[in-house]
Amino acid sequence: MPQMNHYDVIIIGTGAGGGTLAYTLAPSGKRILLLERGDYLPREKDNWSPRAVNVEAKYNTKEVWRDHHGQPLHPHTNYYVGGNTKFYGAALFRLRHEDFGEIKHYGGVSPAWPITYEEMEPYYGQAERLYQVHGQRGEDPTEPHASAPYPYPPVSHEPRLQHLSDDFARLGLRPFHTPLGVMLDENNRQHSRCIRCDTCDGFPCLVFAKADAQVCCVGPALQHQNVTLLTNAHVLRLETSSSGREVTAVHVEYNGRQEVFSADIVVASCGAINSAALLLRSTNDRHPDGLANSSGVVGRHYMGHINSVLMDISECPNPTVFQKSLAINDFYFGVEEWEYPMGHISFVGKRDAETLKAGAPAIAPGFTLELMARHSLDFWLTSEDLPDPDNRVTLDRDGNIVLTYKPNNEEGHKRLVEKLKGLMQQQTKCTVHGHACHVGLFSRDLFVGQRIPLAGVAHQNGTIRFGIDPKTSALDVNCKAHDVDNLYVVDASFFPSSGAVNPALTIMANALRVGDHLREKLG
Ligand SMILES: Cc1cc2nc3c(=O)[nH]c(=O)nc-3n(C[C@H](O)[C@H](O)[C@H](O)COP(=O)(O)OP(=O)(O)OC[C@H]3O[C@@H](n4cnc5c(N)ncnc54)[C@H](O)[C@@H]3O)c2cc1C
Ligand code: SF4
């Protein structure tokens, strides 16, 4: 007989959503069980090895999904305590005020959220403090109102990026310091936890100086006697009472054994793809199309942003170590000649030759990857993709994940890429190296662009959307399932639309908001 253990709250998944919720509920004294399918990420030198991380994909899940053609998909996602925040670039943005309303795009409409920015604002502030965000208010032309300054000063630009920032400003833009969750103390580098290294974005932090969900939330939550974490605990299915109104059992494969747990409140926070898959696997007589899916939206409206890396390979080398400090939002809502939203420009971590080897784009003959990496400015461009019900997570006959996705709303992104290229061609001479920087190594600018493929599910969201109408949404405004009284979802699934900034801070802020609701509900 499986063992039956009852808790006040079970949280499935310990990433941005689940980890943050555990942190905020921990002081309540309620018995909380965290179920995490992964283990603790091993702390080892490979954490900072581009070969291990990017070429060998050592830490990625080995799970194989399928695309809608049945082709294998090796998802770039990670199952560990802390979830994908162990690997994230820690760019921690608030959605814009306007993103909470309906926005007309060239490719369609980005729907409104059922809550306002004002309702989220205090939680954004709490999340910024919890995740130690370093930034500077007042620089970003699209930033929403904030009731407090960032808790820490911005991460400074290294000379090459400062030069670029000055050039953008000269061209009439308002470049700004990317808000970042890294524990860098630039006034006291000797004692700073963060050493400002070149293996941050996409890598785990070996010295625990990245503000991830394990370091900031799961670890502190586990200081409370009432919180228990089981690692290697893969939740397979949720079972309900005969009425279908309560989750009564959480079926788990724990270290190879089948176990069953139950709780007054069950929270799924497995990431937008895995939470949808979990609900779809949990069919029963009352929920024939998947748990909490009377609306039919579970798994649908998958979004992941339209993301590109654009490498601008200039004549001058780019010796920057930590490249993620600079961002541009001047084109976020469009420009005079193009009234539709275009998106956000920032940087990925500095590309190195090993990493380029992993996805080597077509380059000119004789142009070595080392040279290319030494000279590149590695931009990251994000535009909003729109929620299409046919872009969705389904299961194959064996219960494995199938991800169907047709890109949409791409015109704004294409224009954003062209805009950036145009700006780069207007750069002034480089004062750092004394050469004309942006004539390019081939006497013209050389751009190498790459769209992030379907397997790049880093920004996955939208698959269990929240809303007021139970016919068109699966969750209510508190992220409780319309159809089930004790089931909540707090990962990125709840997004009805995704804006064009990185999603993690919004997931964290929302988990704090749902945490307030749950504390009240639990008494
Ligand atoms: C390389 C990379 C860079 C990124 N950079 C940024 C950035 O700079 N800024 C930003 O805002 N966002 C960034 N992101 C995205 C960000 O990490 C995610 O948006 C965020 O972590 C999602 O939070 P979540 O709670 O939805 O899911 P996750 O953080 O993925 O957490 C889900 C957790 O659930 C566990 N789980 C899954 N299924 C089960 C199951 N069945 N049973 C038990 N446990 C389960 C997983 O192991 C995982 O721990 C990045 C992501 C990646 C991969
Ligand atoms: S830059 Fe700082 S936070 Fe990022 S990995 Fe390096 S030491 Fe860690």
Side-chain angles (χ1 to χ4, degrees):
M1 273 290 284
Q3 185 193 345
M4 196 75 175
N5 286 319
H6 191 81
Y7 289 81
D8 294 312
V9 183
I10 289 178
I11 302 172
I12 308 166
T14 57
T20 308
L21 183 66
Y23 174 88
T24 190
L25 291 183
S28 68
K30 298 290 174 190
R31 288 188 70 223
I32 299 166
L33 176 65
L34 300 179
L35 296 170
E36 169 53 56
R37 75 182 285 176
D39 210 328
Y40 280 102
L41 188 116
R43 290 186 83 185
E44 55 193 12
K45 279 171 126 179
D46 271 356
N47 287 181
W48 278 350
S49 155
R51 164 164 286 279
V53 172
N54 291 327
V55 182
E56 293 160 5
K58 176 171 181 173
Y59 302 109
N60 280 5
T61 177
K62 302 297 174 278
E63 222 172 42
V64 181
W65 301 347
R66 305 241 161 231
D67 67 14
H68 69 288
H69 299 297
Q71 293 303 311
L73 206 59
H74 299 278
H76 304 169
T77 195
N78 307 279
Y79 299 147
Y80 293 100
V81 175
N84 280 294
T85 66
K86 289 306 294 175
F87 291 83
Y88 76 168
L92 292 174
F93 281 93
R94 298 176 176 212
L95 281 175
R96 318 291 86 175
H97 190 286
E98 295 84 340
D99 286 326
F100 287 77
E102 186 177 291
I103 297 183
K104 218 166 149 225
H105 284 248
Y106 184 73
V109 169
S110 164
W113 285 39
I115 57 171
T116 60
Y117 174 75
E118 283 71 24
E119 286 169 82
M120 277 290 266
E121 199 285 327
Y123 300 105
Y124 272 129
Q126 285 178 35
E128 284 168 349
R129 287 189 288 281
L130 181 54
Y131 284 90
Q132 306 197 19
V133 182
H134 292 53
Q136 181 69 54
R137 300 255 192 253
E139 292 180 338
D140 172 355
T142 63
E143 82 181 354
H145 154 78
S147 50
Y150 281 111
Y152 296 92
V155 173
S156 66
H157 302 315
E158 290 171 48
R160 181 70 190 85
L161 285 209
Q162 185 61 55
H163 175 69
L164 189 63
S165 175
D166 293 345
D167 259 354
F168 284 145
R170 185 182 54 79
L171 294 169
L173 303 182
R174 284 157 294 173
F176 63 96
H177 291 87
T178 304
L180 288 162
V182 292
M183 301 174 195
L184 178 65
D185 182 353
E186 298 198 70
N187 291 323
N188 190 355
R189 290 294 291 270
Q190 272 311 311
H191 292 100
S192 170
R193 195 155 155 184
C194 168
I195 60 167
R196 189 173 188 135
C197 71
D198 60 355
T199 46
C200 191
D201 188 12
F203 296 80
C205 179
L206 187 49
V207 295
F208 278 13
K210 178 152 53 177
D212 65 40
Q214 180 199 350
V215 171
C216 295
C217 289
V218 179
L222 290 172
Q223 299 295 313
H224 295 258
Q225 299 287 317
N226 51 307
V227 180
T228 306
L229 165 68
L230 296 185
T231 56
N232 300 303
H234 183 187
V235 176
L236 303 175
R237 204 165 55 80
L238 306 177
E239 192 179 309
T240 67
S241 57
S242 53
S243 72
R245 290 299 312 181
E246 303 87 30
V247 174
T248 48
V250 177
H251 291 263
V252 185
E253 190 176 84
Y254 174 47
N255 281 327
R257 294 191 311 272
Q258 301 285 318
E259 299 266 357
V260 182
F261 299 92
S262 64
D264 294 351
I265 304 282
V266 174
V267 184
S269 192
C270 308
I273 294 173
N274 273 297
S275 280
L278 176 62
L279 299 195
L280 293 173
R281 284 189 193 110
S282 303
T283 50
N284 62 31
D285 290 351
R286 293 282 171 182
H287 299 273
D289 299 322
L291 186 56
N293 195 21
S294 64
S295 61
V297 301
V298 171
R300 292 188 184 272
H301 307 108
Y302 170 81
M303 293 169 278
H305 282 151
I306 309 169
N307 293 312
S308 297
V309 172
L310 183 76
M311 295 175 68
D312 174 9
I313 298 147
S314 44
E315 183 162 342
C316 278
N318 173 16
T320 306
V321 173
F322 185 89
Q323 192 178 234
K324 265 186 100 79
S325 62
L326 179 64
I328 298 171
N329 270 345
D330 292 86
F331 313 112
Y332 195 88
F333 294 117
V335 286
E336 220 176 289
E337 70 275 14
W338 171 260
E339 60 181 298
Y340 300 104
M342 293 161 86
H344 161 77
I345 300 174
S346 56
F347 280 85
V348 287
K350 184 70 204 82
R351 285 292 187 250
D352 58 84
E354 285 286 2
T355 301
L356 292 182
K357 235 181 263 172
I363 47 169
F367 202 80
T368 67
L369 293 176
E370 277 79 12
L371 194 61
M372 186 167 162
R374 218 170 29 247
H375 286 255
S376 64
L377 284 158
D378 315 277
F379 291 96
W380 172 257
L381 296 94
T382 298
S383 305
E384 182 167 356
D385 54 346
L386 300 173
D388 173 351
D390 293 331
N391 285 343
R392 61 190 294 209
V393 177
T394 51
L395 302 175
D396 68 14
R397 224 174 292 143
D398 303 319
N400 299 315
I401 289 170
V402 178
L403 188 57
T404 301
Y405 183 78
K406 188 162 162 257
N408 61 45
N409 199 29
E410 292 175 285
E411 185 57 30
H413 191 73
K414 288 179 193 153
R415 286 174 185 253
L416 187 66
V417 171
E418 290 314 310
K419 201 81 190 158
L420 178 58
K421 287 182 181 175
L423 287 168
M424 292 312 293
Q425 273 149 349
Q426 297 172 56
Q427 295 288 300
T428 55
K429 281 175 190 281
C430 171
T431 53
V432 179
H433 307 101
H435 306 293
C437 224
H438 286 275
V439 292
L441 271 181
F442 296 124
S443 76
R444 62 177 174 81
D445 269 309
L446 175 64
F447 297 103
V448 180
Q450 262 193 322
R451 273 285 281 278
I452 302 301
L454 182 58
V457 293
H459 290 192
Q460 57 182 277
N461 71 86
T463 53
I464 314 176
R465 50 171 31 189
F466 78 154
I468 291 162
D469 184 354
K471 289 198 186 70
T472 55
S473 58
L475 306 175
D476 70 12
V477 291
N478 294 315
C479 289
K480 185 189 82 63
H482 289 297
D483 302 342
V484 184
D485 297 326
N486 67 342
L487 175 65
Y488 288 77
V489 182
V490 297
D491 54 37
S493 308
F494 77 99
F495 284 36
S497 58
S498 62
V501 285
N502 313 49
L505 190 76
T506 300
I507 303 166
M508 294 155 177
N510 182 62
L512 295 171
R513 185 182 71 90
V514 174
D516 264 5
H517 161 80
L518 286 178
R519 253 197 312 275
E520 210 170 288
K521 181 161 171 160
L522 288 159

